[in-house]
């Protein structure tokens, strides 16, 4: 399977996902190194505040109509 | 458990994915932000999935709704990022989710809201895109005809063309003068006693071209005057190992001006 759905438009042989992944893994590893700085830097503050807002909305049950405030537990702010 | 606790730890990785996907951190971040905003305002909910999957799935939905249509490779992106961007979006998702983010096929399928079978196909298609994009002329420096033929076959398999098979340093240098290759695959010990390392050093003086050494004597490269950066594959080799190295060498090759 996966052998016949690649047109013969280039000289490259068709290949399956296993072979493709074996060639892509080392590329992925190098990309991870390239983007290392993104992972190590601080996430922008407003990103976290959106999550906090989403948490508040959930615990207040006042956000949208489709969320029953069944587990109504007042959120205790964990931040200092 | 709060969303801050559940999703917070995954945000750095989502930002990485978004950057690779969109080409710049600024643009990537704007989609991450849009996804989180959707969560905060209640227009979108997380699916019942492990937090990291649910987060990526939400991002994917947001990006698919807007980003996919606006896409233009950013002017400022580096060569490698541009290569990633040239992979069509759907193929790029499957490629980046698995190869960069380390998701399994099944996980990627959940994130993309697709079947595992389709994701496999997308991954194979992404590889074809990558190889078509990287296709180039290859100079093979190898004095043993049987091995040269093996190398030639796998090079052709990848969709490249073989410009010349040189068997000595002199031949290799002459071949480059005639026609500049996009990749050099070089043996080290050549028939007339000349060295593939010397041949490559000669070539690199005039041109910046990626090089992969394929040799039964890897120690020579470790002690000798080794051109940097170069890949090293030990004979006897698995064709797949060489193919993976070729892809990597070409994908990450960024041409630098060379003093002529």
């Amino acid at each position: 399977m996966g052998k016949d759905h690649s047109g013969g438009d280039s000289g490259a042989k068709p290949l399956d996902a296993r072979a493709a992944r074996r060639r892509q893994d080392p590329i992925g590893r190098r990309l991870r190194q390239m983007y290392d700085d993104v992972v190590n830097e601080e996430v922008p503050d407003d990103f976290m505040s959106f999550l906090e807002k989403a948490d508040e909305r959930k615990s207040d049950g006042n956000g949208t109509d489709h969320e029953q405030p069944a587990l109504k537990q007042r959120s205790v702010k964990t931040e200092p | 458990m709060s969303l801050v606790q559940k999703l917070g730890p995954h945000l750095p990785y989502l930002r990485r994915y978004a950057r690779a996907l969109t080409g710049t951190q600024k643009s990537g971040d704007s989609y991450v932000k849009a996804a989180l905003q959707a969560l905060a305002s209640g227009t979108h909910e997380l699916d019942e999935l492990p937090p990291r999957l649910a987060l990526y799935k939400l991002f994917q939905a947001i990006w698919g709704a807007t980003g996919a249509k606006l896409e233009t490779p950013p002017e400022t992106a580096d060569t490698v990022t541009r290569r990633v961007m040239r992979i069509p979006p759907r193929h790029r998702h499957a490629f980046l989710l698995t190869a960069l983010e380390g998701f399994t096929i099944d996980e990627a399928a959940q994130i993309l809201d697709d079947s595992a079978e389709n994701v496999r196909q997308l991954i194979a298609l992404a590889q074809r895109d990558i190889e078509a994009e990287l296709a180039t002329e290859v100079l093979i420096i190898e004095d043993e005809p049987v091995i040269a033929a093996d190398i030639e076959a796998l090079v052709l398999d990848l969709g490249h063309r073989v410009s010349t098979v040189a068997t000595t340093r002199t031949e290799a240098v002459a071949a480059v003068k005639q026609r500049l290759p996009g990749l050099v695959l070089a043996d080290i010990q050549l028939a007339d006693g000349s060295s593939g390392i010397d041949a490559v050093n000669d070539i690199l003086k005039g041109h910046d071209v990626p090089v992969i050494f394929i040799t039964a004597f890897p120690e020579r490269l470790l002690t000798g005057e080794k051109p940097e950066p170069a890949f090293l594959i030990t004979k006897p080799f698995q064709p797949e190992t060489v193919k993976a190295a070729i892809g990597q060498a070409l994908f990450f090759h960024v041409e630098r001006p060379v003093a002529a």
Side-chain angles (χ1 to χ4, degrees):
Chain A
M1 123 188 79
K3 280 254 164 181
D4 42 0
H5 48 234
S6 88
D9 53 341
S10 80
K13 264 206 195 156
L15 82 172
D16 59 25
R18 282 240 326 271
R21 291 193 74 187
R22 227 174 314 150
R23 291 179 208 168
Q24 288 171 7
D25 276 349
I27 294 178
R29 234 174 292 136
R30 285 275 292 270
L31 286 176
R32 275 203 288 278
Q33 286 170 10
M34 237 177 79
Y35 296 133
D36 230 11
D37 54 325
V38 191
V39 173
N40 291 326
E41 80 187 22
E42 199 89 21
V43 170
D45 283 343
D46 53 340
F47 287 18
M48 293 313 274
S49 64
F50 282 127
L51 288 183
E52 283 160 21
K53 227 184 271 174
D55 276 327
E56 280 163 29
R57 193 179 60 82
K58 273 223 150 47
S59 54
D60 293 345
N62 65 355
T64 46
D65 33 19
H66 54 262
E67 180 87 31
Q68 292 287 346
L71 293 168
K72 187 157 181 151
Q73 38 171 304
R74 278 257 140 216
S75 78
V76 183
K77 283 244 174 188
T78 47
E79 282 83 355
Chain B
M1 204 170 162
S2 73
L3 291 173
V4 170
Q5 289 168 304
K6 270 205 303 202
L7 303 183
H10 303 298
L11 287 183
Y13 301 99
L14 182 63
R15 290 184 71 221
R16 170 178 70 190
Y17 174 63
R19 167 157 160 189
L21 185 65
T22 64
T24 63
Q25 195 63 59
K26 186 162 172 263
S27 148
D29 274 349
S30 70
Y31 291 108
V32 175
K33 194 169 159 180
L36 298 176
Q37 223 160 1
L39 208 54
S41 65
T43 57
H44 286 67
E45 295 284 333
L46 290 176
D47 282 15
E48 294 279 338
L49 290 170
R52 188 167 182 232
L53 291 189
L55 178 66
Y56 277 69
K57 185 169 186 179
L58 170 65
F59 169 84
Q60 200 66 51
I62 297 286
W63 188 86
T66 47
K69 291 164 197 107
L70 300 173
E71 224 181 27
T72 44
E75 294 291 307
T76 53
D78 57 85
T79 310
V80 174
T81 301
R82 278 162 192 270
R83 284 192 185 123
V84 175
M85 296 285 292
R86 275 191 214 113
I87 306 169
R90 198 76 183 153
H91 306 175
R92 193 187 326 144
H93 299 149
F95 160 63
L96 290 174
L97 286 172
T98 53
L100 173 66
E101 297 301 319
F103 287 110
T104 64
I105 302 256
D106 288 330
E107 289 170 336
Q110 286 181 303
I111 292 167
L112 296 174
D113 217 356
D114 208 334
S115 70
E117 194 41 54
N118 283 347
V119 170
R120 279 195 193 91
Q121 202 169 324
L122 292 172
I123 288 172
L125 289 171
Q127 189 58 27
R128 275 213 335 158
D129 302 328
I130 292 171
E131 284 167 12
E133 176 68 30
L134 298 176
T136 189
E137 299 233 338
V138 181
L139 166 64
I140 299 172
I141 310 175
E142 171 64 67
D143 61 325
E144 294 167 70
V146 176
I147 297 177
D150 283 350
I151 295 173
E152 200 168 350
L154 70 86
V155 162
L156 295 174
D157 255 17
L158 289 173
H160 303 298
R161 298 166 301 280
V162 174
S163 59
T164 313
V165 179
T167 61
T168 65
R169 175 182 179 179
T170 317
E171 272 180 40
V173 172
V176 170
K177 283 217 177 86
Q178 285 242 312
R179 208 183 174 87
L180 187 61
L183 173 72
V184 177
L185 301 180
D187 185 13
I188 289 185
Q189 196 176 37
L190 302 175
D192 62 346
S194 64
S195 150
I197 301 177
D198 292 338
V200 165
N201 280 327
D202 288 347
I203 293 166
L204 290 179
K205 267 178 215 149
H207 309 283
D208 183 20
V209 53
V211 176
I212 299 174
F213 286 104
I214 304 177
T215 176
F217 308 100
E219 61 284 352
R220 302 218 178 158
L221 196 59
L222 301 178
T223 53
E225 211 180 300
K226 175 185 162 190
E228 285 279 0
F231 285 81
L232 176 59
I233 288 168
T234 308
K235 284 182 194 166
F237 56 79
Q238 296 288 324
E240 267 308 320
T241 311
V242 182
K243 287 179 181 175
I246 290 175
Q248 207 188 332
L250 290 174
F251 200 91
F252 291 96
H253 180 67
V254 179
E255 209 164 322
R256 274 171 288 269
V258 182

